Amino acid sequence: MALCDDISYIERTLAGDVAAFSVLVERYQTMVFSLVVRIVRQRQDAEDIAQDIFVKAYLSLKNFRNEARFSTWLCRIAYTTAISHTRKQRPDRAGVEIETERHAECDDIHARNLHEERLQKLQQSLDKLPSEDAILISLHYQHGKSIDEIVSITDMSASNVKVRLHRARKKLYQEIKEDD
């Protein structure tokens, strides 16, 4: 259903309805921001880059060919823009910022604290992974992107994505195991 909605909002935007694009921004802003912050690892830079990404997407919307889902096309723009930004930055600017995900409140306070502690350990373990590994894990598990969509976003081969995703999972497992 979202795919059909996306296409109708894209068509309305291309027909001159600028407000229709704001619906797409609202729909995908969290996905874009979380991908960008995973790459650049600095919240303020990620906010600025996310805004730039939506401007690029708006200006390039006429080039969207509907060969992939809009979210995949937008992720591709986000990925290339964020990677380009990190390549321009000096290595000493690579900061680490842990962002805690909030989930629905549990009735049992102990269960909630345990859940939050596990999420924090997972986030810390993800932050210890090389950036490209963390990006693949994020795209596949947090954003539900298929291997084919990740191939489209990252320009890696499908076999390379599968191998790197497998290795990233193993590294993540080792990091979690070491923290216990």
Side-chain angles (χ1 to χ4, degrees):
M1 177 98 181
L3 180 61
C4 293
D5 280 353
D6 288 350
I7 293 169
S8 67
Y9 285 114
I10 291 167
E11 289 172 351
R12 287 175 46 197
T13 301
L14 291 173
D17 182 3
V18 178
F21 190 74
S22 66
V23 174
L24 295 171
V25 171
E26 286 179 32
R27 184 174 289 167
Y28 296 111
Q29 65 187 356
T30 302
M31 177 189 71
V32 167
F33 177 76
S34 64
L35 175 62
V36 172
V37 80
R38 174 84 47 219
I39 295 169
V40 300
R41 302 206 183 228
Q42 291 185 348
R43 185 175 186 83
Q44 187 166 352
D45 286 349
E47 289 171 356
D48 294 340
I49 293 167
Q51 289 179 359
D52 291 343
I53 289 164
F54 282 107
V55 170
K56 283 183 180 182
Y58 179 78
L59 296 173
S60 302
L61 200 56
K62 63 185 172 295
N63 299 326
F64 177 67
R65 294 184 301 265
N66 201 15
E67 294 171 356
R69 294 188 336 209
F70 177 75
S71 63
T72 302
W73 181 78
L74 186 59
C75 270
R76 174 74 178 150
I77 294 171
Y79 177 82
T80 56
T81 303
I83 291 293
S84 176
H85 173 80
T86 58
R87 287 182 180 150
K88 292 177 186 174
Q89 300 303 310
R90 295 176 304 197
D92 59 312
R93 284 205 50 193
V96 177
E97 180 180 329
I98 298 174
E99 185 174 301
T100 307
E101 293 183 8
R102 298 210 138 232
H103 290 277
E105 298 241 359
C106 300
D107 292 333
D108 182 10
I109 293 173
H110 177 69
R112 183 178 54 206
N113 289 340
L114 183 60
H115 181 71
E116 288 178 8
E117 183 179 314
R118 287 180 179 161
L119 281 176
Q120 186 175 19
K121 284 182 180 179
L122 176 62
Q123 187 64 44
Q124 288 170 343
S125 296
L126 268 171
D127 287 342
K128 291 178 184 177
L129 291 178
S131 182
E132 287 187 350
D133 291 342
I135 292 165
L136 291 174
I137 293 286
S138 179
L139 284 170
H140 192 65
Y141 293 104
Q142 285 183 307
H143 302 296
K145 297 298 181 191
S146 69
I147 299 296
D148 290 338
E149 289 174 313
I150 295 172
V151 165
S152 176
I153 292 166
T154 63
D155 266 348
M156 294 180 195
S157 68
S159 60
N160 194 11
V161 169
K162 290 176 189 176
V163 167
R164 292 186 72 162
L165 194 55
H166 175 73
R167 289 180 182 160
R169 281 191 300 258
K170 285 175 71 173
K171 287 178 190 174
L172 183 61
Y173 175 75
Q174 290 295 49
E175 286 292 337
I176 291 170
K177 195 173 177 181
E178 288 174 8
D179 287 342
D180 283 342

